[in-house]
Amino acid sequence: ASVAASEGRYPVGPAEVYRDADELLGAAGGVGVRLPVFDTYDEDRRATFDAAIATLQEVGDDAYAADDFERAVEAYDRATRYAPSPSVQTALDARRADAYGGWAEGALVTGRVRTAYDRAERALSYAPAQRALLDLQTAILDAGSIRIAAFPTETRGGRATRAMPNDFREALNARLEDEVWSRPPLFVAAAYPTAERRAIRSLSGGDERYGRRGTSAELARLLDADLAVATRLDDFTRAEEERERETRTADRRSGGTATYTRVTTDLDLSATLVYEVVDARSRRVVCEGEVERRVDTRLRTGVYAGRVSDLDLDRSEPRLFDEEYLDDEERDLEVRLRVALAERLADRVYRGVEREVP
């Protein structure tokens, strides 16, 4: 390698020889063996590495000038293998930022927005504060994002949803607005802020049946959205199953003892949410399906023929007779069900929408 460097041959090959030598010296040192090297090893190694870096910078610059950004990045990346000084490393990072930025612009022009965004992200990793790159990334998102109009969930009438609490749909819609539609992934933008709800109702003439494919597509177009998302609660089931009855004894405050029954019950709630994502202009169905979620809990209630206040109960036992506490337990279960429905719906809908992004 020393001879190759002194003769000024193409330096990248000799630089690799020095890298191999460094690895061998390191491995030997790791087991306590010190291998001999010639006196000018360090100086020759540095000169060879510097020559390799300079050549690779030139290769990268030529590729960059020819808009061959992939090759430019490859050359600059390889140059970092040869232990550049801090100032040279800074210069290489600047070159990599420029090359990735050019790559991103080229991908954007050809409509490959995901590639463009990824390359812009890589460019920013080398130049985090560069305004031009931040603006480029914003432009990529603006150009490539799909706007969705997600309408309030409807409810199928009749026996299928008779067991559903009166406020369940409203609470589900609130969760979808706050936690799902307002927090879309990259390249998906929500076109249905809460402030527009009244306007949408006005546009639809008071008809809230957004699930009709034509209605949802028309309203999405009015909102300048690309896709309409319509959902409907198709089924809601509440099931109780008694598991155990246990007779227990407690002292009475008025004297003597009394017996009461502790009943253990499994409570299950389940719901099915049907969804459809439709192209606002062609009315093509982008994706559709249903989401079914089930949650359960175990409740313990008390049964006593007399006045419960007369029983001297253990600390946790009064809750068996507390209707408010039992109502809260069921309310918590309803919240769990809404969360489960919203999370699964978000996964299904956003996966379908993201497939539309080039």
Side-chain angles (χ1 to χ4, degrees):
S2 176
V3 173
S6 66
E7 291 178 355
R9 295 178 184 172
Y10 183 70
V12 175
E16 285 299 309
V17 174
Y18 272 107
R19 276 170 49 87
D20 292 342
D22 287 346
E23 185 176 348
L24 179 60
L25 291 169
V31 293
V33 176
R34 184 179 178 83
L35 296 177
V37 295
F38 49 87
D39 293 341
T40 59
Y41 179 86
D42 289 339
E43 292 83 354
D44 288 350
R45 171 183 176 275
R46 183 67 264 166
T48 303
F49 278 3
D50 288 344
I53 292 171
T55 295
L56 288 167
Q57 281 183 326
E58 185 178 348
V59 170
D61 292 348
D62 289 344
Y64 180 83
D67 291 343
D68 189 351
F69 302 113
E70 185 172 4
R71 186 171 177 230
V73 166
E74 183 181 359
Y76 299 143
D77 283 347
R78 183 163 183 176
T80 64
R81 296 163 52 146
Y82 305 119
S85 66
S87 61
V88 173
Q89 181 66 61
T90 299
L92 285 171
D93 286 347
R95 282 175 161 88
R96 288 197 281 190
D98 289 344
Y100 273 118
W103 199 345
E105 289 175 349
L108 177 60
V109 168
T110 58
R112 294 173 296 127
V113 292
R114 286 191 185 278
T115 299
Y117 187 88
D118 176 70
R119 299 306 180 262
E121 190 82 356
R122 294 293 298 275
L124 282 166
S125 70
Y126 297 114
Q130 192 174 125
R131 184 76 257 170
L133 289 175
L134 293 170
D135 291 343
L136 172 61
Q137 197 170 50
T138 300
I140 292 167
L141 285 174
D142 288 344
S145 290
I146 292 177
R147 288 173 59 82
I148 65 169
F151 300 106
T153 297
E154 299 175 341
T155 304
R156 177 186 175 189
R159 296 172 59 88
T161 54
R162 188 172 296 169
M164 186 173 70
N166 293 333
D167 62 347
F168 187 85
R169 184 186 73 160
E170 183 179 351
L172 176 61
N173 277 323
R175 182 162 197 91
L176 288 172
E177 283 188 18
D178 295 341
E179 304 294 333
V180 175
W181 309 135
S182 63
R183 301 180 182 181
L186 282 175
F187 296 109
V188 181
Y192 180 52
T194 305
E196 292 184 39
R197 181 189 294 273
R198 187 173 299 174
I200 291 174
R201 286 177 176 167
S202 175
L203 290 170
S204 64
D207 183 359
E208 294 190 13
R209 287 172 289 180
Y210 306 113
R212 291 178 176 177
R213 188 172 302 170
T215 302
S216 62
E218 180 182 353
L219 290 174
R221 284 198 306 276
L222 291 171
L223 289 170
D224 196 27
D226 301 299
L227 304 177
V229 182
T231 54
R232 184 183 70 239
L233 277 163
D234 240 26
D235 182 74
F236 188 99
T237 302
R238 182 185 186 280
E240 289 186 49
E241 184 176 357
E242 186 176 305
R243 291 295 185 182
E244 183 182 19
R245 280 183 172 262
E246 179 185 1
T247 301
R248 301 173 70 88
T249 302
D251 292 333
R252 296 176 57 191
R253 301 182 191 280
S254 58
T257 61
T259 60
Y260 65 92
T261 304
R262 186 171 75 173
V263 182
T264 301
T265 305
D266 285 346
L267 175 61
D268 292 356
L269 299 180
S270 64
T272 300
L273 193 61
V274 176
Y275 66 90
E276 183 180 66
V277 181
V278 179
D279 188 289
R281 285 153 185 81
S282 68
R283 300 190 183 183
R284 171 180 61 90
V285 176
V286 172
C287 64
E288 62 182 336
E290 63 179 40
V291 170
E292 182 178 359
R293 298 281 85 184
R294 173 183 172 275
V295 293
D296 61 80
T297 191
R298 180 156 287 184
L299 299 176
R300 290 182 173 83
T301 57
V303 179
Y304 179 57
R307 287 186 301 108
V308 175
S309 59
D310 190 37
L311 297 177
D312 186 12
L313 297 169
D314 293 339
R315 222 160 102 185
S316 62
E317 293 295 281
R319 292 191 305 187
L320 299 174
F321 304 93
D322 186 344
E323 291 293 334
E324 186 175 338
Y325 171 78
L326 296 172
D327 286 345
D328 287 344
E329 288 286 290
E330 186 160 349
R331 284 291 189 177
D332 288 344
L333 195 62
E334 292 169 12
V335 171
R336 285 173 50 199
L337 181 57
R338 287 194 292 270
V339 170
L341 285 169
E343 288 179 350
R344 180 56 65 90
L345 178 67
D347 177 65
R348 294 280 187 84
V349 168
Y350 284 142
R351 271 196 296 166
V353 173
E354 285 180 313
R355 286 196 293 269
E356 299 292 298
V357 179

